[in-house]
Amino acid sequence: MTDAEDRRPQSERARSMYAHPAGGGTAVDTESSTTSEFTLPEGLAMGRPAVPESETTSEFALPNGLDTPPAPAPETEGSAFSLPSGFGLETLHAFTPATGLPAVDLVKDAPWQDRMRTVLRLPVAERPAPESAQRTADETGPAVPRVLDLTLRIGELLLAGGEGAEDVEAAMLSVCRSYGLDRCEPNVTFTLLSISHQPSLVDDPVTASRTVRRRGTDYTRLAAVFQLVDDLADPETVVSLEEAYRRLAEIRRNRHPYPGWALTLANGLLAGAASVLVGGGPLVFLCAALGAMLGDRLAWLCAGRGLPEFYQFTVAATPPAAIGIALTLANVDVRASAVITGGLFALLPGRALVAGVQDGLTGFYITAAARLLEVMYFFTGIVIGVLVVLYFGVKFGAPLNPDTALGTSQQPVVQILASMLLSLTFAVLLQQERSTVLMVTLNGGVAWSVYGAMHTVGGISPVASTAAAAGLVGLFGQLLSRYRFASALPYTTAAIGPLLPGSATYFGLLAIAQNEVDKGLLSLARAVSLAMAIAIGVNLGSEISRLFLRLPGAGSAAGRRAAKRTRGF
């Protein structure tokens, strides 16, 4: 190899090494032809033309043969209340009834309870705009936190006084709407109240809550709170926030209308009247009254020492049972069963039972479960107190017969008067206003007359008779409360006192104390059935009363929307 050949580029020398030798076939011009390892072999056709090197591509580019979708229309600035994209008019029928969304006309003459119940059962987006009944001097509206705080304080007094959860929510919503706060959602449970206010869909909500720690029975205070809410909802009555706080403070400071000695005396008269209802005489009346008053004082003593209500009920149930056992052991010609039954009437938690069942029937299941659990604890305390005394009485040989029937038809006029006395004393124990005592006394007499006519004369079962009498009590109570724009509890709770199942409870406990468990449980189940009949009857009477009232939106589907039947799903 010459020096000139050695000075050729390395690539040319490499190509010359793979060239065909001279004389060996077709000569290949290695000097002019250039090849690459990426060049397609000869005879292989290209599927599509190669992309020119100058054309730029991207990994997000669509492959050839795939149609490009049309470009979307430019988005315009919308609103939070505008329909979303893809939601056309043809899809509206899937979300709206055939008749459209009914317009709600809040009747001005209807009580605020019914108007607020109508609003509560509507979705937030369908609620009519609030008309502020209370105006401020600068027309800028009150501070939202102060209005929510006032609302919670009012709801606390109502819930602590035994008002139903639905009525408490209606009162809270009425206070908020009176001051022009829209989009408010109250929430009531047994021990907690909360309310949330969201001015608009883009503003942050304001939420406040309050815990109910103390409960007390004072229907006079309850009526004063209802009057305050009624004044706030009235556009002709101007109540500023400061004035509302002042009136609320006065309601809290007000003393009970009846002193302690009057409550103890009323407890004794209630037990005596109940003993007359089950066939007792004058001696039974006195013994039952004495036992109930002694039990009441012992319960006050336990309350002063800080013992829970469970032990207070247990202690209060022992004196009437002990007096009845003592009379039996002393061979006194008196019905010990009537004495013990009369003492039980003063302890049975009828008020909490009615409120619990009412909350369950109106859809407040958590609150209803808590109230009924409270009733169960109170009833268990009564059972323990009576069973302990009856057990020792049986051991000492007291001739107690659980099969003895208590008479209820010997003196109907006396028993009607006794039922009215029972309702009157029950109203005093509930701390009712003196103006409502007469009406609830008459209501209790009517309830017992209906029960006696149906059960004693007509021979109808006691459960059905009790339910009918309680329904009449609820009907009259609701009509009277709407007439006076007040709560229905003062007109219904005391009137159901004569219907409470005191005798069935006593005979069930006596049978258990004598080792007749099956018979005792059967009698206690009958007592529970009577108690449920009372509660359901009162609520049903309240609902029937709405047929006689002018309700807002009653002619449309939005009058008072209820939960649809789930059909077992």
Side-chain angles (χ1 to χ4, degrees):
M1 183 178 296
T2 62
D3 295 338
E5 292 178 348
D6 293 337
R7 288 192 297 268
R8 287 183 303 170
Q10 185 177 1
S11 59
E12 293 181 5
R13 286 189 283 115
R15 285 194 296 269
S16 64
M17 294 174 61
Y18 295 99
H20 293 286
T26 305
V28 179
D29 187 6
T30 59
E31 298 293 336
S32 61
S33 63
T34 60
T35 60
S36 172
E37 61 268 23
F38 299 104
T39 304
L40 291 175
E42 295 181 1
L44 183 62
M46 296 179 63
R48 60 186 179 91
V51 179
E53 293 183 359
S54 61
E55 181 180 352
T56 59
T57 61
S58 170
E59 65 265 22
F60 299 104
L62 292 175
N64 292 339
L66 184 63
D67 295 335
T68 305
E75 296 184 358
T76 59
E77 183 178 358
S79 171
F81 300 97
S82 61
L83 293 177
S85 59
F87 189 87
L89 294 177
E90 66 276 359
T91 61
L92 285 177
H93 63 84
F95 303 95
T96 307
T99 58
L101 292 176
V104 181
D105 183 17
L106 297 182
V107 181
K108 302 297 182 181
D109 298 336
W112 61 265
Q113 298 99 312
D114 298 315
R115 289 188 280 116
M116 291 305 105
R117 284 195 186 99
T118 302
V119 176
L120 275 175
R121 292 176 178 264
L122 290 173
V124 178
E126 300 177 19
R127 293 177 181 175
E131 297 181 3
S132 178
Q134 308 301 326
R135 303 291 182 180
T136 56
D138 54 357
E139 294 294 334
T140 58
V144 173
R146 294 195 65 195
V147 175
L148 298 184
D149 179 71
L150 175 67
T151 302
L152 290 174
R153 291 176 183 273
I154 290 177
E156 178 191 9
L157 286 181
L158 293 176
L159 188 62
E163 192 64 65
E166 185 180 29
D167 291 328
V168 175
E169 283 196 357
M172 295 172 64
L173 187 62
S174 178
V175 174
C176 289
R177 293 176 69 88
S178 298
Y179 287 101
L181 297 188
D182 195 9
R183 306 182 67 87
C184 289
E185 282 294 340
N187 186 21
V188 175
T189 60
F190 187 59
T191 58
L192 182 66
L193 299 98
S194 62
I195 188 167
S196 178
H197 168 67
Q198 187 174 13
S200 65
L201 293 176
V202 297
D203 293 331
D204 295 333
V206 180
T207 304
S209 61
R210 194 173 184 87
T211 303
V212 180
R213 302 189 183 276
R214 296 186 60 185
R215 301 179 182 274
T217 305
D218 190 343
Y219 282 1
T220 300
R221 179 180 297 174
L222 192 69
V225 177
F226 261 76
Q227 183 61 45
L228 173 59
V229 178
D230 185 63
D231 291 341
L232 291 176
D234 187 5
E236 298 180 358
T237 305
V238 179
V239 182
S240 62
L241 268 177
E242 289 73 15
E243 177 68 16
Y245 269 106
R246 186 189 63 79
R247 291 179 56 177
L248 195 62
E250 290 180 356
I251 293 173
R252 286 179 174 273
R253 288 195 302 264
N254 278 347
R255 299 178 61 87
H256 298 305
Y258 306 102
W261 64 267
L263 298 180
T264 301
L265 180 61
N267 210 333
L269 292 177
L270 189 152
S275 65
V276 174
L277 284 180
V278 294
L283 183 58
V284 172
F285 181 94
L286 293 176
C287 294
L290 179 62
M293 287 189 292
L294 183 59
D296 182 72
R297 287 293 91 188
L298 290 177
W300 276 101
L301 181 63
C302 294
R305 297 295 183 272
L307 290 178
E309 285 184 296
F310 176 84
Y311 302 105
Q312 298 176 28
F313 274 82
T314 302
V315 171
T318 54
I323 291 178
I325 295 297
L327 293 175
T328 304
L329 292 175
N331 295 324
V332 179
D333 188 13
V334 68
R335 284 189 172 183
S337 57
V339 176
I340 301 175
T341 300
L344 291 178
F345 264 85
L347 298 175
L348 294 178
R351 173 182 58 86
L353 175 66
V354 172
V357 174
Q358 180 181 0
D359 287 342
L361 294 177
T362 52
F364 295 86
Y365 301 113
I366 297 178
T367 308
R371 289 187 189 270
L372 294 178
L373 184 62
E374 182 187 38
V375 171
M376 187 192 71
Y377 272 106
F378 292 163
F379 190 77
T380 304
I382 298 171
V383 167
I384 292 176
V386 176
L387 268 182
V388 170
V389 177
L390 291 180
Y391 177 78
F392 285 105
V394 171
K395 288 299 182 181
F396 284 116
L400 300 174
N401 185 9
D403 296 329
T404 303
L406 295 176
T408 57
S409 60
Q410 288 79 7
Q411 298 175 331
V413 177
V414 174
Q415 290 176 356
I416 291 176
L417 294 177
S419 66
M420 296 175 66
L421 177 60
L422 192 151
S423 298
L424 187 148
T425 53
F426 204 173
V428 173
L429 290 176
L430 294 174
Q431 302 282 356
Q432 293 189 196
E433 290 181 307
R434 292 177 174 84
S435 60
T436 63
V437 171
L438 178 61
M439 300 303 299
V440 75
T441 300
L442 296 177
N443 202 5
V446 171
W448 182 259
S449 300
V450 172
Y451 171 79
M454 294 183 63
H455 176 57
T456 305
V457 180
I460 303 176
S461 66
V463 176
S465 302
T466 301
L472 196 62
V473 168
L475 174 62
F476 287 168
Q478 285 290 337
L479 293 178
L480 289 173
S481 67
R482 292 304 186 268
Y483 175 74
R484 297 196 174 190
F485 294 92
S487 173
L489 290 181
Y491 301 99
T492 57
T493 305
I496 64 173
L499 304 176
L500 293 176
S503 59
T505 304
Y506 162 69
F507 285 123
L509 299 179
L510 179 58
I512 293 176
Q514 294 180 346
N515 293 327
E516 297 180 1
V517 180
D518 295 339
K519 187 181 297 184
L521 292 179
L522 182 62
S523 183
L524 290 179
R526 180 170 173 264
V528 172
S529 300
L530 292 174
M532 294 297 294
I534 293 173
I536 295 176
V538 170
N539 182 263
L540 182 60
S542 301
E543 297 297 329
I544 293 176
S545 69
R546 302 178 189 278
L547 300 177
F548 302 96
L549 299 175
R550 187 186 179 190
L551 297 185
S556 63
R560 190 169 185 253
R561 292 184 178 180
K564 293 184 179 180
R565 186 161 59 96
T566 59
R567 302 182 183 273
F569 300 156

